[in-house]
C-alpha cells in the first residue's frame, strides 16, 4: 500500500509504525463549582501550563535550537493574552466549568485561524488546539502523550506532531514521522526538519490505515509512504537512504565556501528569516547575509504595537549577529493573509487586493514612523541594514515612504539620537504593476528584491490556497519567467543590485536561468543554503546560457518545467 501526503522533511526513514493516540479529554461529568472556584481552577491551570511550557521550551532550546523553542514560548504568549482569558472567564460567568471555558474559547480561535489562507497563520490554529488539549489535560488530571520511550526504528504516526509532543523525543529512536495534518511551513514540518527526521504530512486517514508494528518506508523528499513493502522495494529504498545520506555529507563541504559558479563568478547567498533568533540559525547554516527579515512577526501574538525600543532592539540584534553582512528588513506587511487584530483593520471581501502592506503603512504614518525610526537607529551601529518596501505598485508609494524616512531622520537629528543617514531603500517586486514599470521604479530605488511567491500568484491570477486552481500556480509559466527577466534587466540598466527572496531562488531548476539573467543575490531558507550554493557551484556560464535559451523558447509551463527538470545537475 502506498500513501501520499506533503513532502515536509527530506530523507528516507524505514521502521515500524507506532501510532500515537490522544487520551480522552471528555469533561461532561465535571460539575460546575461556582464562579470563583472555576476561575481559580482556570488560573491554576494556566500557571501550571506556563511553568511546564517554559521548561519544555528550555529543553527544545538546548536539544534543537532557539528558533524551535519559540514555537512553545509563543503558546505562553497566546494563553497569557488578557483578552483570551477574559473570554474564558465570561464562559465561567455564564455558568460553565473551566474545562468548557477553555474548550469553547480555544475552539473559536482555532477555527478563526484555520479559515485563513496563509499556512503560517493556519499554524496558529494548531498552536491553539495544542493549548486546548494540554489545558484540558491539566484540568482533568490526564497524563499527556509521552513519546520519550519509543523503541529504536519507530515511525511515529499521529494526527499531528504538536510542539509539546516533541519534548523528550529521542530522535535516535525515531526513523520518520507521518501525520494527518500539516504543511511545509507547519510547526510539524519545522520541528521535523530541525530534528533531521524524514516526514510526510497531511496523509489522509493515516491513523486508520496503519496499525502498530506495520513496516513502513517514509520518503520525505517525495511525500510518500510504503506500508509493509516487499523485499525488492525495501532493498531499493535502503539504497536510496544510503545515497541521500551520502549527498547530505557532501553538502557539508560547502558550509564555509564562497558562493561562486564553476568559473569563479561570485554571487550573494542570503537567508530569509522571521525573527532575530532565526538570524543565528542563518549564520550557522552558512548564509552570507539576510535577504528578507519579515517584521510582521514582531507584531503578532501580542496585544499592542511593539514600541520603537522593542523594534530597535530586535533589528539591532539581527544587525549584530550578521555584522559585516547585509541585512534587508522588509517593513510591516500586514493585511491579506496576515491579520493583526489590535490594528483594527476593516474586514475586506478580497484582502489580498486590499488595504495591506505599503498601502496600510502610508495611510497610518504614525505607526509607520515608529518602525522607520527604529530601523534608522538600528542601522547606525553596523551600517548593514537596508529597508525594503512590500507590495509596491507605483512611484508615489516609494516617494511617500522616502518622505516619511526623511522626516524621521530630521526628528532623530533634532533629538540627538544616532541613525544611519544613508540607509538604502529598496522595494520587493511582487506585483505585475511593479514588474511592468521596473525601469521607472529602479530610478528611485537603491535595490530590488523579487518576491516570486506573490509575483506568481498575481501574474497568474491564482489563489494558491484554492485546490481547484493550484495547478495553475507555477513560476515556470512563460509570463512569470519573462517578468522576472525584465525586472533583473531593469535593475542592471539602472546600476542597482537585484536579489530574489521568493521560493524560486532555491529551485535548482531555475538557478541557471537566474544566473544567466544576472541575478546578484539568492535569498533562501536556512535549510536550503548549502544545496543552493552547491547548485550554483556546478554551473558554467555558457552551459547555463544554453539551458536558458532553450527553456525560454518553450511556450508552456509544463514544457519549461519538464525541460529544466531534465537539465538539473546532480
Amino acid at each position: 500500500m502506498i500513501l501520499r501526503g506533503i513532502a515536509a522533511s527530506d530523507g528516507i526513514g524505514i521502521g515500524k509504525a507506532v501510532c500515537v493516540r490522544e487520551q480522552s479529554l471528555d469533561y461532561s461529568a465535571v460539575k460546575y463549582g461556582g464562579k470563583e472556584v472555576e476561575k481559580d481552577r482556570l488560573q491554576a491551570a494556566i500557571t501550571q501550563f506556563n511553568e511546564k511550557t517554559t521548561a519544555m521550551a528550555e529543553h527544545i532550546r538546548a536539544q534543537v535550537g532557539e528558533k524551535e523553542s519559540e514555537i512553545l514560548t509563543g503558546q505562553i504568549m497566546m494563553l497569557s493574552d488578557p483578552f483570551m482569558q477574559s473570554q474564558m472567564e465570561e464562559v465561567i460567568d455564564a455558568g460553565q466549568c473551566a474545562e468548557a471555558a477553555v474548550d469553547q474559547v480555544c475552539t473559536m480561535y482555532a477555527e478563526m485561524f484555520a479559515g485563513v489562507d496563509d499556512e503560517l497563520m493556519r499554524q496558529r490554529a494548531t498552536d491553539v488546539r495544542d493549548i486546548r488539549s494540554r489545558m484540558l489535560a491539566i484540568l482533568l488530571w490526564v497524563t499527556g502523550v509521552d513519546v520519550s520511550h519509543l523503541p529504536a526504528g519507530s515511525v511515529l504516526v499521529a494526527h499531528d506532531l504538536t510542539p509539546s509532543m516533541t519534548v523528550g523525543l529521542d530522535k535516535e529512536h525515531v526513523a520518520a514521522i507521518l501525520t494527518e495534518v500539516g504543511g511545509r511551513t507547519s510547526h510539524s514540518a519545522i520541528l521535523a526538519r530541525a530534528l533531521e527526521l524524514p516526514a510526510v504530512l497531511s496523509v489522509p486517514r493515516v491513523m486508520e490505515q496503519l496499525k502498530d508494528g506495520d513496516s513502513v518506508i517514509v520518503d520525505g523528499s517525495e511525500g510518500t509512504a510504503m506500508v509493509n513493502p516487499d523485499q525488492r522495494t525495501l532493498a531499493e529504498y535502503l539504497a536510496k537512504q544510503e545515497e541521500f545520506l551520502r549527498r547530505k555529507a557532501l553538502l557539508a563541504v560547502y558550509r564555509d565556501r564562497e558562493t561562486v559558479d564553476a568559473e569563479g563568478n561570485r554571487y550573494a547567498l542570503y537567508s530569509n528569516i522571521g525573527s532575530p533568533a532565526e538570524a543565528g540559525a542563518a549564520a550557522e547554516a552558512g548564509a552570507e547575509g539576510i535577504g528578507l527579515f519579515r517584521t510582521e512577526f514582531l507584531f503578532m501574538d501580542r496585544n499592542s504595537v511593539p514600541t520603537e525600543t522593542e523594534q530597535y532592539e530586535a533589528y539591532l540584534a539581527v544587525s549584530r549577529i550578521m555584522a559585516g553582512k547585509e541585512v534587508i528588513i522588509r517593513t510591516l506587511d500586514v493585511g491579506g493573509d496576515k491579520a493583526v487584530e489590535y490594528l483594527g483593520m476593516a474586514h475586506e471581501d478580497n484582502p489580498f487586493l486590499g488595504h495591506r502592506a505599503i498601502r496600510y503603512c502610508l495611510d497610518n504614518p504614525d505607526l509607520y514612523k515608529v518602525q522607520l525610526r527604529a530601523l534608522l537607529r538600528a542601522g547606525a551601529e553596523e551600517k548593514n541594514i537596508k529597508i525594503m518596501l512590500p507590495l509596491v505598485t507605483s512611484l508615489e508609494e516609494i516617494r511617500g515612504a522616502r518622505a516619511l524616512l526623511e522626516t524621521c531622520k530630521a526628528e532623530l537629528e533634532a533629538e540627538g539620537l544616532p541613525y544611519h543617514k544613508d540607509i538604502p531603500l529598496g522595494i520587493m517586486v511582487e506585483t505585475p504593476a511593479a514588474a511592468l514599470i521596473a525601469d521607472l521604479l529602479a530610478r528611485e530605488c537603491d535595490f530590488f528584491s523579487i518576491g516570486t511567491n506573490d509575483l506568481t500568484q498575481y501574474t497568474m491570477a491564482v489563489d494558491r490556497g484554492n485546490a481547484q486552481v493550484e495547478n495553475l500556480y507555477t513560476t515556470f509559466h512563460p509570463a512569470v519567467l519573462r517578468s522576472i527577466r525584465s525586472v533583473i534587466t531593469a535593475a542592471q540598466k539602472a546600476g542597482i543590485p537585484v536579489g530574489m527572496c521568493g521560493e524560486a531562488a532555491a529551485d535548482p531548476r531555475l538557478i541557471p536561468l537566474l544566473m544567466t539573467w544576472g541575478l546578484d543575490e539568492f535569498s533562501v531558507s536556512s535549510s536550503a543554503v548549502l544545496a543552493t550554493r552547491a547548485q550554483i557551484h556546478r554551473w558554467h556560464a555558457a552551459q547555463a546560457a544554453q539551458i536558458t535559451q532553450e527553456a525560454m523558447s518553450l511556450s508552456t509551463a509544463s514544457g519549461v518545467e519538464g525541460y529544466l527538470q531534465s537539465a538539473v545537475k546532480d
Side-chain angles (χ1 to χ4, degrees), residues 121 160 184 258 403 445 448 556 563:
M121 291 297 290
D160 191 12
R184 279 281 310 172
E258 288 190 335
C445 288
F448 278 170
T556 65
Y563 170 71

Side-chain angles (χ1 to χ4, degrees), residues 42 102 109 191 271 331 341 384 476 492 495:
L42 174 65
V102 169
Y109 274 95
L191 291 165
S271 186
T331 61
E341 291 181 19
N384 60 345
F476 296 99
Q492 288 177 320

Side-chain angles (χ1 to χ4, degrees), residues 263-519:
E263 292 153 323
N265 298 308
R266 185 84 169 81
Y267 294 86
L269 183 55
Y270 292 176
S271 186
N272 302 327
I273 65 171
S275 71
E278 291 181 36
E284 187 178 334
E288 300 161 358
I290 301 299
L292 170 62
F293 179 0
R294 305 178 184 93
T295 60
E296 56 272 14
F297 294 106
L298 297 176
F299 290 71
M300 294 177 176
D301 295 329
R302 53 184 298 140
N303 306 310
S304 60
V305 176
T307 65
E308 181 179 320
T309 299
E310 288 177 306
Q311 293 189 57
Y312 161 74
E313 290 175 349
Y315 307 145
L316 181 60
V318 176
S319 175
R320 285 174 172 170
I321 290 170
M322 304 304 295
K325 301 174 181 178
E326 285 190 345
V327 174
I328 300 175
I329 301 181
R330 184 177 69 187
T331 61
L332 183 60
D333 184 6
V334 288
D337 53 11
K338 304 182 189 78
V340 179
E341 291 181 19
Y342 61 78
L343 293 179
M345 303 178 76
H347 171 77
E348 296 179 294
D349 292 333
N350 196 344
F352 285 96
L353 303 181
H355 194 222
R356 55 170 296 206
I358 190 65
R359 303 166 183 178
Y360 175 85
C361 289
L362 290 177
D363 286 342
N364 292 272
D366 291 340
L367 171 80
Y368 202 24
K369 282 172 61 181
V370 172
Q371 182 170 42
L372 295 177
R373 282 172 56 97
L375 288 165
L376 284 164
R377 291 176 57 201
E381 185 174 303
E382 296 290 339
K383 292 187 169 51
N384 60 345
I385 288 177
K386 300 168 78 170
I387 298 174
M388 181 163 64
L389 310 177
L391 206 77
V392 167
T393 58
S394 69
L395 274 170
E396 287 85 351
E397 289 164 337
I398 299 173
R399 290 169 181 170
R402 197 175 285 281
L404 273 181
L405 195 62
E406 292 304 316
T407 299
C408 292
K409 289 179 182 179
E411 290 177 356
L412 293 170
E413 187 74 38
E415 295 167 26
L417 292 173
Y419 65 95
H420 188 185
K421 295 178 173 59
D422 301 314
I423 197 165
L425 180 68
I427 67 168
M428 196 163 175
V429 181
E430 54 187 328
T431 66
L436 287 167
I437 61 168
D439 58 329
L440 303 178
L441 301 177
R443 298 172 189 171
E444 302 196 22
C445 288
D446 296 311
F447 66 93
F448 278 170
S449 186
I450 304 170
T452 52
N453 299 359
D454 270 348
L455 182 60
T456 301
Q457 176 171 248
Y458 289 130
T459 300
M460 297 305 299
V462 168
D463 175 2
R464 48 187 165 146
N466 184 333
Q468 291 181 296
V469 294
E470 65 179 355
N471 62 304
L472 299 175
Y473 176 83
T474 171
T475 310
F476 296 99
H477 194 284
V480 180
L481 293 177
R482 290 182 184 190
S483 291
I484 293 170
R485 181 179 61 184
S486 67
V487 172
I488 295 173
T489 299
Q492 288 177 320
K493 287 182 178 178
I496 62 172
V498 54
M500 178 178 287
C501 55
E503 290 181 10
D507 193 322
R509 296 166 294 183
L510 292 172
I511 284 174
L513 279 66
L514 299 174
M515 292 171 63
T516 299
W517 291 336
L519 190 75

Side-chain angles (χ1 to χ4, degrees), residues 2-69:
I2 299 178
L3 305 178
R4 302 186 186 279
I6 294 173
S9 182
D10 290 342
I12 307 291
I14 302 172
K16 300 290 186 181
V18 176
C19 299
V20 179
R21 292 180 170 84
E22 295 277 359
Q23 291 182 265
S24 172
L25 296 174
D26 177 24
Y27 58 87
S28 57
V30 176
K31 294 181 180 180
Y32 180 64
K35 294 181 183 180
E36 296 308 316
V37 169
E38 296 300 332
K39 287 181 182 179
D40 287 345
R41 291 183 65 228
L42 174 65
Q43 288 304 318
I46 290 173
T47 299
Q48 189 175 344
F49 177 96
N50 289 343
E51 289 173 352
K52 287 185 175 182
T53 306
T54 299
M56 290 160 61
E58 288 299 325
H59 181 86
I60 290 287
R61 183 178 292 110
Q63 297 298 316
V64 183
E66 179 73 30
K67 172 185 171 184
E68 290 73 26
S69 72

Side-chain angles (χ1 to χ4, degrees), residues 8 45 75 79 83 110 115 136 175 191 233 238-239 243 246 326 390 413 422 493 514 524 558 565-566:
Q75 290 188 359
L79 187 58
F83 185 64
L136 287 176
L191 291 165
T233 303
L238 282 169
E243 176 63 12
R246 184 187 71 82
E326 285 190 345
E413 187 74 38
D422 301 314
K493 287 182 178 178
L514 299 174
V524 302
S558 59
Q565 181 65 49
S566 68

